Amino acid sequence: MVVTFNVTDQEHGEWAVLRVSGELDLLTSPVLRQRVHDVVADGRHRLVLDLSEVWFCDSSGVGVLIASRRLLRSCQGSLRLILPARGAADGSHVNKVLGALGVRRLFEIHPDVPSAVDEDARPLSA
């Protein structure tokens, strides 16, 4: 079985951006959890998780997102998520899962990296 999952790291000013692609599930979510912890351990407390290329997310993936939010808030940081601009209308699985679980409102959602790293940009509505 081939697990298609990748996390790449970029810097955008004060923001660290982790681009996640593939399936965010029980097998892969520990990888993302570790990458988030590594970013915080490096002293970067402003994080964008670009989930626009994630086509599957289960409860363990949602758990990592919630834990990441809690971790960043504990060090007075910020977490922003990138989902397709039209969300579930575009078939964003992550958006559907977050909405179904009633936790989408916990996150600041943006349509793309420029919006997510812009201090003046308004997040998409829940």
Coordinates of all heavy atoms in Angstrom, one line a residue, residues 9-104:
D9 N 7.5 22.8 3.9 CA 7.7 24.0 4.8 C 8.1 25.2 4.1 O 9.1 25.1 3.3 CB 8.7 23.6 5.9 CG 8.8 24.6 7.1 OD1 8.3 25.7 6.9 OD2 9.3 24.2 8.1
Q10 N 7.5 26.3 4.3 CA 7.8 27.6 3.6 C 7.8 28.7 4.7 O 7.1 28.6 5.7 CB 6.9 28.0 2.5 CG 6.9 27.0 1.4 CD 5.8 27.4 0.3 OE1 4.8 28.0 0.7 NE2 6.1 27.2 -0.9
E11 N 8.5 29.8 4.4 CA 8.4 31.0 5.3 C 7.8 32.1 4.5 O 8.1 32.3 3.3 CB 9.8 31.4 5.7 CG 10.6 30.4 6.5 CD 10.5 30.6 8.0 OE1 10.0 31.7 8.4 OE2 10.8 29.7 8.8
H12 N 6.9 32.8 5.1 CA 6.3 34.0 4.5 C 6.3 35.1 5.6 O 5.4 35.2 6.4 CB 4.9 33.8 4.0 CG 4.8 32.9 2.8 ND1 4.8 33.5 1.5 CD2 4.7 31.6 2.6 CE1 4.7 32.5 0.7 NE2 4.7 31.4 1.3
G13 N 7.4 35.8 5.7 CA 7.6 36.9 6.7 C 7.6 36.2 8.1 O 8.4 35.3 8.3
E14 N 6.7 36.6 8.9 CA 6.6 36.1 10.3 C 5.9 34.7 10.3 O 5.8 34.1 11.4 CB 5.9 37.1 11.2 CG 6.7 38.3 11.4 CD 6.0 39.2 12.4 OE1 5.1 38.8 13.1 OE2 6.4 40.4 12.5
W15 N 5.3 34.3 9.2 CA 4.5 33.1 9.2 C 5.2 31.9 8.6 O 5.9 32.0 7.6 CB 3.3 33.4 8.3 CG 2.3 34.3 8.9 CD1 2.3 35.7 8.8 CD2 1.2 34.0 9.8 NE1 1.3 36.2 9.5 CE2 0.6 35.3 10.1 CE3 0.7 32.8 10.3 CZ2 -0.5 35.3 10.9 CZ3 -0.4 32.9 11.1 CH2 -1.0 34.1 11.4
A16 N 5.1 30.8 9.3 CA 5.6 29.5 8.8 C 4.3 28.9 8.1 O 3.2 29.0 8.6 CB 6.0 28.6 9.9
V17 N 4.6 28.4 6.9 CA 3.5 27.8 6.1 C 3.8 26.3 5.9 O 4.9 26.0 5.4 CB 3.3 28.5 4.8 CG1 2.2 27.8 4.0 CG2 3.0 30.0 5.0
L18 N 3.0 25.4 6.4 CA 3.1 24.0 6.1 C 2.0 23.6 5.0 O 0.8 23.7 5.3 CB 2.9 23.2 7.3 CG 4.0 23.3 8.4 CD1 3.6 22.4 9.6 CD2 5.3 23.0 7.9
R19 N 2.5 23.2 3.9 CA 1.6 22.8 2.8 C 1.4 21.3 2.9 O 2.4 20.5 2.9 CB 2.2 23.1 1.4 CG 1.9 24.4 0.9 CD 2.4 24.5 -0.5 NE 2.7 25.9 -0.8 CZ 1.7 26.7 -1.3 NH1 0.5 26.3 -1.5 NH2 2.0 28.0 -1.5
V20 N 0.2 20.9 3.1 CA -0.1 19.5 3.4 C -0.8 18.9 2.1 O -1.8 19.6 1.6 CB -1.0 19.3 4.6 CG1 -1.2 17.8 4.9 CG2 -0.4 20.0 5.8
S21 N -0.4 17.8 1.7 CA -1.1 17.2 0.5 C -1.3 15.7 0.8 O -0.5 15.0 1.4 CB -0.4 17.4 -0.8 OG 0.9 16.8 -0.7
G22 N -2.4 15.2 0.2 CA -2.7 13.7 0.3 C -3.8 13.4 1.4 O -4.7 14.2 1.5
E23 N -3.6 12.3 2.1 CA -4.6 11.9 3.0 C -4.1 12.2 4.4 O -3.0 11.8 4.8 CB -4.9 10.4 2.9 CG -5.4 10.0 1.5 CD -5.7 8.5 1.3 OE1 -5.8 7.8 2.4 OE2 -5.7 8.1 0.2
L24 N -5.0 12.8 5.2 CA -4.6 13.2 6.6 C -5.5 12.2 7.5 O -6.7 12.4 7.7 CB -5.0 14.6 6.9 CG -4.6 15.2 8.3 CD1 -3.1 14.9 8.6 CD2 -4.9 16.7 8.3
D25 N -4.8 11.1 7.9 CA -5.6 10.1 8.6 C -4.7 9.5 9.7 O -3.7 10.0 10.1 CB -6.0 9.0 7.6 CG -4.8 8.3 6.9 OD1 -3.7 8.4 7.3 OD2 -5.1 7.7 5.8
L26 N -5.1 8.3 10.2 CA -4.5 7.7 11.4 C -3.0 7.5 11.1 O -2.2 7.6 12.0 CB -5.2 6.4 11.8 CG -4.8 5.7 13.0 CD1 -5.0 6.6 14.2 CD2 -5.5 4.4 13.2
L27 N -2.7 7.1 9.9 CA -1.3 6.8 9.6 C -0.4 8.1 9.4 O 0.8 8.1 9.8 CB -1.2 6.0 8.3 CG -1.7 4.5 8.3 CD1 -1.6 3.9 7.0 CD2 -0.8 3.7 9.3
T28 N -1.0 9.1 8.8 CA -0.2 10.3 8.5 C -0.3 11.4 9.5 O 0.6 12.3 9.5 CB -0.6 10.8 7.1 OG1 -2.0 11.1 7.1 CG2 -0.4 9.7 6.0
S29 N -1.4 11.5 10.3 CA -1.6 12.6 11.2 C -0.4 12.8 12.2 O -0.1 13.9 12.5 CB -2.9 12.6 11.9 OG -3.1 11.4 12.6
P30 N 0.2 11.7 12.7 CA 1.4 11.9 13.6 C 2.5 12.7 12.9 O 3.3 13.4 13.6 CB 1.8 10.5 13.9 CG 0.6 9.7 13.8 CD -0.1 10.3 12.6
V31 N 2.7 12.6 11.6 CA 3.7 13.3 10.8 C 3.4 14.8 10.9 O 4.3 15.6 11.2 CB 3.8 12.8 9.4 CG1 4.8 13.7 8.6 CG2 4.2 11.4 9.3
L32 N 2.1 15.2 10.6 CA 1.8 16.6 10.7 C 1.9 17.1 12.1 O 2.4 18.2 12.3 CB 0.4 16.8 10.2 CG -0.1 18.3 10.2 CD1 0.8 19.1 9.4 CD2 -1.5 18.4 9.7
R33 N 1.5 16.3 13.1 CA 1.6 16.8 14.5 C 3.1 17.1 14.8 O 3.4 18.1 15.4 CB 1.1 15.7 15.4 CG 1.2 16.0 16.9 CD 0.7 14.9 17.8 NE -0.5 14.3 17.5 CZ -1.7 14.7 17.9 NH1 -1.8 15.7 18.8 NH2 -2.8 14.1 17.6
Q34 N 4.0 16.2 14.4 CA 5.4 16.4 14.7 C 5.9 17.7 14.0 O 6.7 18.4 14.5 CB 6.2 15.2 14.3 CG 7.7 15.3 14.6 CD 7.9 15.5 16.2 OE1 7.4 14.7 16.9 NE2 8.6 16.5 16.6
R35 N 5.5 17.9 12.7 CA 5.9 19.1 12.0 C 5.5 20.4 12.7 O 6.2 21.3 12.7 CB 5.5 19.0 10.5 CG 6.1 17.9 9.7 CD 7.6 18.0 9.5 NE 7.9 19.2 8.7 CZ 7.9 19.2 7.3 NH1 7.7 18.1 6.7 NH2 8.2 20.3 6.7
V36 N 4.2 20.4 13.2 CA 3.7 21.5 13.9 C 4.5 21.8 15.1 O 5.0 22.9 15.4 CB 2.2 21.4 14.2 CG1 1.7 22.5 15.2 CG2 1.4 21.4 12.9
H37 N 4.8 20.7 15.9 CA 5.6 20.8 17.1 C 7.0 21.3 16.8 O 7.6 22.1 17.5 CB 5.7 19.5 17.8 CG 4.5 19.2 18.7 ND1 4.4 19.6 20.0 CD2 3.3 18.6 18.4 CE1 3.2 19.2 20.4 NE2 2.5 18.6 19.5
D38 N 7.6 20.9 15.6 CA 8.9 21.3 15.2 C 8.9 22.8 14.9 O 9.9 23.6 15.3 CB 9.4 20.6 14.0 CG 9.7 19.1 14.2 OD1 9.8 18.7 15.4 OD2 9.8 18.4 13.2
V39 N 7.9 23.3 14.3 CA 7.7 24.8 14.0 C 7.7 25.6 15.3 O 8.4 26.5 15.4 CB 6.5 25.0 13.1 CG1 6.1 26.5 13.1 CG2 6.6 24.5 11.7
V40 N 6.9 25.1 16.2 CA 6.8 25.8 17.5 C 8.1 25.7 18.3 O 8.6 26.7 18.9 CB 5.6 25.3 18.3 CG1 5.6 25.9 19.7 CG2 4.3 25.6 17.6
A41 N 8.8 24.6 18.2 CA 10.1 24.4 18.9 C 11.1 25.3 18.3 O 12.0 25.8 19.0 CB 10.5 23.0 18.9
D42 N 11.0 25.7 17.0 CA 11.9 26.6 16.4 C 11.6 28.1 16.8 O 12.2 29.0 16.3 CB 11.8 26.5 14.9 CG 12.5 25.2 14.4 OD1 13.3 24.6 15.1 OD2 12.3 24.8 13.2
G43 N 10.6 28.3 17.6 CA 10.2 29.6 18.0 C 9.3 30.4 17.1 O 9.1 31.6 17.3
R44 N 8.7 29.6 16.1 CA 7.8 30.3 15.2 C 6.3 30.0 15.7 O 6.0 28.8 15.8 CB 8.0 29.8 13.8 CG 9.4 30.2 13.3 CD 9.6 29.7 11.9 NE 9.7 28.2 11.9 CZ 9.7 27.4 10.8 NH1 9.6 28.0 9.6 NH2 9.8 26.1 10.9
H45 N 5.6 31.0 16.1 CA 4.3 30.9 16.7 C 3.2 31.4 15.8 O 2.1 31.6 16.3 CB 4.3 31.6 18.0 CG 5.3 31.0 19.0 ND1 5.8 31.7 20.0 CD2 5.8 29.7 19.1 CE1 6.7 30.9 20.7 NE2 6.7 29.7 20.1
R46 N 3.5 31.6 14.5 CA 2.4 32.1 13.6 C 2.5 31.0 12.5 O 3.5 31.0 11.7 CB 2.7 33.5 13.1 CG 2.7 34.5 14.2 CD 3.2 35.8 13.8 NE 2.2 36.5 12.9 CZ 1.5 37.5 13.3 NH1 1.6 38.0 14.5 NH2 0.6 38.0 12.4
L47 N 1.5 30.2 12.4 CA 1.5 29.1 11.5 C 0.3 29.0 10.6 O -0.9 29.2 11.0 CB 1.5 27.8 12.3 CG 1.5 26.5 11.5 CD1 2.7 26.3 10.6 CD2 1.4 25.3 12.5
V48 N 0.5 28.8 9.3 CA -0.5 28.5 8.3 C -0.4 27.1 7.9 O 0.6 26.6 7.5 CB -0.4 29.5 7.1 CG1 -1.4 29.1 6.0 CG2 -0.5 30.9 7.5
L49 N -1.6 26.4 8.0 CA -1.6 25.0 7.4 C -2.4 25.1 6.1 O -3.6 25.4 6.2 CB -2.3 24.1 8.4 CG -1.5 23.8 9.7 CD1 -2.4 22.8 10.6 CD2 -0.2 23.1 9.4
D50 N -1.7 24.9 5.0 CA -2.4 24.9 3.7 C -2.9 23.5 3.5 O -2.2 22.5 3.2 CB -1.4 25.3 2.6 CG -2.0 25.4 1.3 OD1 -3.2 24.9 1.1 OD2 -1.4 25.9 0.4
L51 N -4.2 23.3 3.6 CA -4.9 22.0 3.4 C -5.6 21.9 2.1 O -6.4 21.0 1.9 CB -5.9 21.8 4.6 CG -5.3 21.9 6.0 CD1 -6.3 21.8 7.1 CD2 -4.2 20.9 6.2
S52 N -5.3 22.8 1.2 CA -6.1 22.8 -0.1 C -5.8 21.6 -0.9 O -6.6 21.3 -1.8 CB -5.8 24.1 -0.9 OG -4.4 24.3 -1.1
E53 N -4.7 20.9 -0.7 CA -4.4 19.7 -1.4 C -4.7 18.4 -0.6 O -4.2 17.3 -1.0 CB -3.0 19.7 -1.9 CG -2.7 20.9 -2.8 CD -3.4 20.7 -4.2 OE1 -3.5 19.6 -4.7 OE2 -3.9 21.8 -4.6
V54 N -5.4 18.5 0.5 CA -5.7 17.3 1.3 C -7.1 16.8 0.8 O -8.1 17.5 0.8 CB -5.8 17.6 2.8 CG1 -6.4 16.5 3.6 CG2 -4.5 18.0 3.3
W55 N -7.1 15.6 0.3 CA -8.4 15.1 -0.3 C -9.1 14.1 0.7 O -10.2 13.7 0.4 CB -8.2 14.4 -1.7 CG -7.3 13.2 -1.7 CD1 -7.6 12.0 -1.3 CD2 -5.9 13.2 -2.1 NE1 -6.6 11.1 -1.5 CE2 -5.5 11.8 -1.9 CE3 -5.0 14.1 -2.5 CZ2 -4.2 11.4 -2.2 CZ3 -3.7 13.7 -2.8 CH2 -3.3 12.4 -2.7
F56 N -8.5 13.8 1.8 CA -9.2 13.0 2.8 C -8.7 13.3 4.2 O -7.5 13.5 4.4 CB -9.0 11.5 2.5 CG -9.6 10.6 3.6 CD1 -10.9 10.3 3.5 CD2 -8.9 10.1 4.6 CE1 -11.6 9.5 4.5 CE2 -9.5 9.3 5.6 CZ -10.8 9.0 5.5
C57 N -9.6 13.5 5.1 CA -9.3 13.8 6.5 C -10.2 13.0 7.4 O -11.4 13.1 7.3 CB -9.4 15.3 6.7 SG -9.0 15.8 8.4
D58 N -9.7 12.2 8.3 CA -10.5 11.5 9.3 C -10.4 12.2 10.7 O -9.8 13.3 10.8 CB -10.2 10.0 9.3 CG -8.8 9.7 10.0 OD1 -8.1 10.6 10.5 OD2 -8.4 8.5 9.9
S59 N -11.0 11.6 11.7 CA -11.0 12.2 13.0 C -9.7 12.4 13.6 O -9.4 13.4 14.3 CB -11.9 11.3 13.9 OG -11.4 10.0 14.0
S60 N -8.7 11.6 13.3 CA -7.3 11.8 13.8 C -6.7 13.0 13.2 O -6.0 13.7 13.9 CB -6.5 10.5 13.6 OG -6.3 10.2 12.2
G61 N -7.0 13.3 11.9 CA -6.5 14.5 11.3 C -7.2 15.7 11.9 O -6.5 16.7 12.2
V62 N -8.5 15.7 12.2 CA -9.1 16.8 12.9 C -8.5 17.0 14.3 O -8.3 18.1 14.7 CB -10.7 16.5 12.9 CG1 -11.3 17.6 13.8 CG2 -11.3 16.5 11.5
G63 N -8.2 15.9 14.9 CA -7.6 15.9 16.2 C -6.3 16.7 16.2 O -6.0 17.5 17.1
V64 N -5.5 16.5 15.2 CA -4.2 17.2 15.0 C -4.5 18.7 14.8 O -3.8 19.5 15.4 CB -3.4 16.6 13.9 CG1 -2.2 17.5 13.5 CG2 -2.9 15.2 14.2
L65 N -5.5 19.0 14.0 CA -5.8 20.4 13.8 C -6.2 21.1 15.1 O -5.7 22.2 15.4 CB -6.9 20.6 12.7 CG -6.6 20.0 11.3 CD1 -7.8 20.2 10.4 CD2 -5.3 20.6 10.8
I66 N -7.0 20.5 15.9 CA -7.5 21.0 17.1 C -6.3 21.1 18.1 O -6.1 22.2 18.8 CB -8.7 20.2 17.7 CG1 -9.9 20.4 16.8 CG2 -9.0 20.7 19.1 CD1 -11.0 19.5 17.1
A67 N -5.5 20.1 18.2 CA -4.3 20.1 19.1 C -3.3 21.2 18.6 O -2.7 21.9 19.5 CB -3.6 18.8 19.1
S68 N -3.2 21.4 17.3 CA -2.3 22.4 16.8 C -2.8 23.8 17.2 O -2.0 24.7 17.6 CB -2.2 22.4 15.3 OG -1.6 21.1 14.9
R69 N -4.1 24.0 17.1 CA -4.7 25.3 17.5 C -4.4 25.5 19.0 O -4.0 26.6 19.4 CB -6.2 25.3 17.2 CG -6.9 26.5 17.7 CD -8.4 26.3 17.4 NE -9.2 27.5 17.8 CZ -9.8 27.6 19.0 NH1 -9.7 26.6 19.9 NH2 -10.5 28.7 19.3
R70 N -4.6 24.5 19.8 CA -4.4 24.6 21.3 C -3.0 25.0 21.6 O -2.7 25.8 22.4 CB -4.9 23.3 22.0 CG -4.9 23.4 23.5 CD -5.4 22.1 24.1 NE -6.6 21.7 23.6 CZ -6.8 20.5 23.0 NH1 -5.8 19.6 23.0 NH2 -8.0 20.1 22.5
L71 N -2.1 24.3 20.9 CA -0.6 24.5 21.1 C -0.2 25.9 20.8 O 0.4 26.6 21.6 CB 0.2 23.5 20.3 CG 1.7 23.7 20.3 CD1 2.3 23.5 21.7 CD2 2.4 22.8 19.3
L72 N -0.7 26.4 19.7 CA -0.3 27.8 19.3 C -0.9 28.8 20.1 O -0.3 29.8 20.5 CB -0.6 28.0 17.8 CG 0.4 27.3 16.9 CD1 -0.2 26.9 15.6 CD2 1.6 28.2 16.7
R73 N -2.2 28.6 20.6 CA -2.8 29.5 21.5 C -2.1 29.6 22.8 O -2.0 30.6 23.5 CB -4.3 29.2 21.6 CG -5.1 29.5 20.4 CD -6.5 29.0 20.5 NE -7.3 29.6 21.6 CZ -8.2 30.6 21.4 NH1 -8.4 31.1 20.2 NH2 -8.8 31.1 22.5
S74 N -1.6 28.4 23.3 CA -0.9 28.4 24.6 C 0.4 29.2 24.6 O 0.9 29.6 25.6 CB -0.6 26.9 24.9 OG 0.5 26.4 24.2
C75 N 1.0 29.5 23.4 CA 2.2 30.3 23.3 C 1.9 31.6 22.6 O 2.7 32.2 22.0 CB 3.3 29.6 22.7 SG 3.0 28.8 21.1
Q76 N 0.6 32.1 22.8 CA 0.1 33.4 22.2 C 0.4 33.5 20.7 O 0.7 34.5 20.2 CB 0.8 34.6 23.0 CG 0.2 34.9 24.3 CD 0.5 33.8 25.4 OE1 1.7 33.5 25.5 NE2 -0.4 33.3 26.1
G77 N 0.3 32.3 20.1 CA 0.5 32.3 18.6 C -0.8 32.3 17.9 O -1.9 32.5 18.4
S78 N -0.7 32.1 16.6 CA -1.9 32.1 15.7 C -1.8 30.9 14.7 O -0.7 30.6 14.2 CB -2.0 33.3 14.8 OG -2.2 34.5 15.6
L79 N -2.9 30.3 14.5 CA -3.0 29.2 13.5 C -4.1 29.6 12.5 O -5.2 30.0 12.9 CB -3.4 27.9 14.1 CG -3.7 26.7 13.1 CD1 -2.5 26.3 12.4 CD2 -4.3 25.6 13.9
R80 N -3.8 29.6 11.2 CA -4.7 29.8 10.1 C -4.7 28.6 9.2 O -3.7 28.0 9.0 CB -4.4 31.1 9.4 CG -4.5 32.3 10.2 CD -4.1 33.6 9.5 NE -4.3 34.7 10.4 CZ -4.0 36.0 10.1 NH1 -3.5 36.2 8.9 NH2 -4.2 37.0 10.9
L81 N -5.9 28.3 8.7 CA -6.0 27.2 7.7 C -6.4 27.7 6.3 O -7.1 28.7 6.2 CB -7.1 26.2 8.1 CG -7.1 25.6 9.5 CD1 -8.3 24.6 9.7 CD2 -5.8 24.9 9.8
I82 N -5.9 27.0 5.3 CA -6.2 27.3 4.0 C -7.1 26.2 3.4 O -6.6 25.0 3.4 CB -5.0 27.5 3.1 CG1 -4.2 28.8 3.5 CG2 -5.4 27.7 1.6 CD1 -2.9 29.0 2.8
L83 N -8.3 26.5 3.0 CA -9.2 25.6 2.3 C -9.6 26.3 1.1 O -9.5 27.5 1.0 CB -10.4 25.3 3.2 CG -10.1 24.6 4.5 CD1 -11.3 24.5 5.4 CD2 -9.5 23.2 4.3
P84 N -10.1 25.5 0.1 CA -10.5 26.2 -1.2 C -11.5 27.3 -0.9 O -12.4 27.1 0.1 CB -11.1 25.0 -2.0 CG -10.4 23.8 -1.5 CD -10.2 24.1 0.0
A85 N -11.5 28.4 -1.6 CA -12.3 29.5 -1.3 C -13.8 29.2 -1.2 O -14.5 29.8 -0.4 CB -12.1 30.6 -2.4
R86 N -14.3 28.2 -2.0 CA -15.7 27.9 -1.9 C -16.0 26.7 -1.0 O -17.1 26.2 -0.9 CB -16.3 27.7 -3.3 CG -16.4 29.0 -4.1 CD -16.8 28.8 -5.6 NE -18.1 28.0 -5.6 CZ -18.2 27.0 -6.5 NH1 -17.3 26.6 -7.2 NH2 -19.4 26.4 -6.5
G87 N -14.9 26.2 -0.4 CA -15.1 25.2 0.6 C -15.7 24.0 0.1 O -15.3 23.4 -0.9
A88 N -16.8 23.5 0.8 CA -17.5 22.3 0.5 C -18.0 22.3 -0.9 O -18.1 21.3 -1.6 CB -18.6 22.0 1.5
A89 N -18.4 23.5 -1.4 CA -18.9 23.6 -2.8 C -17.8 23.1 -3.8 O -18.2 22.6 -4.9 CB -19.3 25.0 -3.1
D90 N -16.6 23.3 -3.4 CA -15.5 22.8 -4.3 C -15.1 21.4 -4.0 O -14.1 20.9 -4.5 CB -14.2 23.7 -4.1 CG -14.3 25.0 -4.8 OD1 -15.2 25.2 -5.7 OD2 -13.6 26.0 -4.4
G91 N -15.8 20.8 -3.1 CA -15.5 19.4 -2.7 C -14.4 19.2 -1.8 O -13.8 18.2 -1.7
S92 N -14.1 20.3 -1.0 CA -13.1 20.2 0.0 C -13.5 19.2 1.1 O -14.4 19.5 1.9 CB -12.7 21.5 0.6 OG -11.9 21.4 1.8
H93 N -12.8 18.1 1.2 CA -13.2 17.1 2.2 C -12.9 17.6 3.6 O -13.8 17.4 4.5 CB -12.4 15.8 1.9 CG -12.8 14.7 2.8 ND1 -12.3 14.4 4.0 CD2 -13.8 13.7 2.6 CE1 -12.9 13.3 4.5 NE2 -13.8 12.9 3.7
V94 N -11.8 18.3 3.8 CA -11.5 18.8 5.1 C -12.6 19.8 5.6 O -13.1 19.7 6.7 CB -10.1 19.5 5.1 CG1 -9.9 20.1 6.5 CG2 -9.0 18.6 4.7
N95 N -13.1 20.6 4.6 CA -14.1 21.6 5.0 C -15.4 20.9 5.4 O -16.0 21.2 6.4 CB -14.4 22.5 3.8 CG -15.0 23.8 4.2 OD1 -14.7 24.4 5.2 ND2 -15.9 24.2 3.3
K96 N -15.8 19.8 4.6 CA -17.0 19.1 5.0 C -16.8 18.4 6.3 O -17.8 18.4 7.1 CB -17.2 18.0 3.9 CG -17.6 18.5 2.6 CD -17.8 17.4 1.6 CE -18.1 17.9 0.2 NZ -18.1 16.8 -0.8
V97 N -15.7 17.8 6.6 CA -15.5 17.1 7.9 C -15.5 18.1 9.0 O -16.2 17.9 10.1 CB -14.1 16.3 7.9 CG1 -13.8 15.8 9.3 CG2 -14.2 15.2 6.9
L98 N -14.8 19.2 8.9 CA -14.8 20.3 10.0 C -16.2 20.8 10.2 O -16.7 21.0 11.4 CB -13.9 21.4 9.6 CG -12.4 21.1 9.6 CD1 -11.6 22.3 9.2 CD2 -11.9 20.5 10.9
G99 N -17.0 21.0 9.1 CA -18.4 21.5 9.3 C -19.3 20.4 9.9 O -20.1 20.7 10.8
A100 N -19.1 19.2 9.5 CA -20.0 18.1 10.0 C -19.7 17.9 11.5 O -20.6 17.6 12.3 CB -19.7 16.8 9.3
L101 N -18.5 18.1 12.0 CA -18.1 17.9 13.4 C -18.4 19.2 14.2 O -18.3 19.2 15.4 CB -16.7 17.5 13.5 CG -16.3 16.1 13.0 CD1 -14.8 15.9 13.0 CD2 -17.0 15.0 13.7
G102 N -18.8 20.2 13.5 CA -19.1 21.5 14.2 C -17.9 22.2 14.7 O -18.0 23.0 15.7
V103 N -16.7 22.0 14.2 CA -15.5 22.6 14.7 C -14.9 23.6 13.7 O -13.9 24.3 14.0 CB -14.4 21.6 15.1 CG1 -14.9 20.7 16.2 CG2 -14.0 20.8 13.9
R104 N -15.5 23.8 12.5 CA -15.0 24.7 11.5 C -14.8 26.1 12.1 O -13.9 26.8 11.8 CB -15.8 24.7 10.3 CG -15.2 25.5 9.1 CD -16.0 25.5 7.9 NE -15.4 26.1 6.7 CZ -15.3 27.4 6.5 NH1 -15.9 28.2 7.3 NH2 -14.7 27.8 5.4

